[in-house]
């Protein structure tokens, strides 16, 4: 079977948040879609190991913030590659509490949906939560961040617990050493000299070895020493 047609399915990128009593958490989700219009319902797919899964199961509410294209990689990394069990993801993040009591991330967000869980469906590693939309708001007129843009332009990867994760094929040998890609062993982000790191003013064509010593992974914040040749 060729897994690549599955990679052609278009998605957006969202921060999905929930709560458990006075604890709050959020994570990046790509699998979100509207199911019905009367009443308005949306579905999301969440890995069962994730803290947000535990919180949605408990409180039966979730929010989804729709990310804008200019969203920095580090923001996506914080919500997508770190666990709320280890860090407070809401430190230095603008958010508000919605009508259902769920936190709603406002940074890098062009609009949000707040939903109350009405159904859940267990599918192997993931659960599909279907929620009735309780509130929704548009916050900014900006281009939306699609999954394709995140991969193609920003160089982002799917973490292992994403529904769309596919194991990468071994790359071919590169002719030009300076253009070699380096992969972050923490989050899987690939530094590609052909793309540079525009979020951090690293110009196109900058070889990995010429990156400043204090340069860190734009996704997870790991240092240069956490990188390996791809
Ligand atoms: Fe990283």
């Amino acid at each position: 079977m060729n897994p690549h047609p599955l990679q052609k399915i278009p998605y957006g990128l969202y921060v999905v948040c929930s709560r458990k009593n006075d604890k709050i958490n959020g994570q990046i989700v790509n699998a979100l879609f509207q199911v019905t219009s009367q009443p308005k319902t949306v579905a999301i797919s969440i890995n069962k190991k994730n803290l947000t899964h535990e919180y949605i199961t408990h409180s039966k509410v979730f929010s989804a913030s729709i990310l804008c294209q200019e969203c920095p990689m580090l923001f996506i990394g914080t919500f997508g590659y770190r666990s709320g069990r280890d860090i407070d993801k809401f430190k230095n993040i603008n958010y508000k509490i919605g009508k259902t009591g769920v936190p709603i991330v406002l940074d890098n967000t062009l609009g949000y949906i707040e939903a109350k869980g009405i159904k859940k469906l267990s599918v192997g590693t993931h659960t599909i939560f279907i929620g009735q939309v309780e509130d929704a708001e548009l916050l900014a007129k900006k281009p939306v961040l699609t999954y394709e843009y995140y991969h193609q332009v920003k160089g982002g990867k799917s973490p292992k617990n994403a529904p769309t994760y596919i194991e990468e094929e071994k790359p071919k040998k590169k002719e030009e050493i300076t253009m070699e890609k380096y992969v972050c062993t923490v989050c899987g982000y690939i530094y590609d000299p052909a793309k540079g790191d525009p979020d951090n003013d690293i110009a196109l064509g900058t070889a990995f070895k010429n990156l400043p010593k204090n340069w860190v992974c734009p996704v997870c914040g790991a240092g240069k020493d956490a990188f390996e040749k791809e």
Side-chain angles (χ1 to χ4, degrees):
M1 187 185 67
N2 180 356
H4 292 105
L6 296 166
Q7 288 180 314
K8 299 294 180 195
I9 299 171
Y11 299 97
L13 276 175
Y14 314 89
V15 179
V16 166
C17 294
S18 192
R19 73 178 312 137
K20 186 179 182 183
N21 304 321
D22 58 349
K23 289 181 288 186
I24 59 174
N25 196 49
Q27 68 159 81
I28 298 287
V29 161
N30 68 284
L32 178 153
F33 65 98
Q34 184 169 354
V35 184
T36 58
S37 64
Q38 295 287 347
K40 287 182 175 48
T41 56
V42 289
I44 53 171
S45 175
I46 304 259
N47 191 293
K48 289 175 182 171
K49 290 179 186 159
N50 290 359
L51 189 61
T52 307
H53 185 281
E54 180 190 324
Y55 287 12
I56 298 173
T57 303
H58 182 265
S59 64
K60 299 181 176 61
V61 291
F62 62 86
S63 70
S65 298
I66 303 159
L67 298 181
C68 60
Q69 200 176 76
E70 67 196 27
C71 180
M73 290 295 274
L74 191 57
F75 177 89
I76 297 170
T78 301
F79 281 98
Y81 284 95
R82 309 291 301 273
S83 172
R85 296 181 182 99
D86 306 325
I87 59 159
D88 173 11
K89 296 189 183 184
F90 292 86
K91 198 180 166 196
N92 303 322
I93 295 283
N94 270 312
Y95 69 97
K96 69 172 188 178
I97 301 298
K99 289 182 179 168
T100 62
V102 79
I104 300 165
V105 167
L106 301 174
D107 287 343
N108 306 304
T109 294
L110 55 86
Y112 66 81
I113 297 158
E114 192 181 338
K116 233 179 184 166
I118 50 171
K119 270 188 185 141
K120 57 186 243 182
L121 176 64
S122 172
V123 188
T125 52
H126 285 65
T127 297
I128 296 172
F129 292 99
I130 301 166
Q132 184 163 328
V133 177
E134 296 291 315
D135 198 19
E137 207 64 66
L138 267 180
L139 302 175
K141 273 192 180 171
K142 287 178 179 174
V144 68
L145 176 60
T146 64
Y147 210 40
E148 186 179 25
Y149 188 91
Y150 167 71
H151 285 292
Q152 304 290 327
V153 182
K154 289 181 178 280
K157 310 300 289 180
S158 305
K160 279 212 166 79
N161 56 1
T164 46
Y165 176 73
I166 294 181
E167 231 172 290
E168 297 281 328
E169 288 166 20
K170 285 265 183 294
K172 297 183 188 86
K173 263 196 174 172
K174 305 283 178 296
E175 304 105 15
E176 276 211 57
I177 291 169
T178 52
M179 293 303 273
E180 269 175 341
K181 295 175 186 172
Y182 278 73
V183 59
C184 175
T185 55
V186 177
C187 75
Y189 166 83
I190 293 175
Y191 176 75
D192 180 356
K195 289 177 179 164
D197 175 13
D199 277 0
N200 295 298
D201 300 321
I202 303 294
L204 311 182
T206 306
F208 182 81
K209 67 176 172 54
N210 294 333
L211 289 170
K213 274 210 170 69
N214 60 356
W215 180 84
V216 295
C217 173
V219 175
C220 72
K224 273 182 88 174
D225 53 358
F227 278 72
E228 291 175 346
K229 233 178 254 178
E230 195 194 22

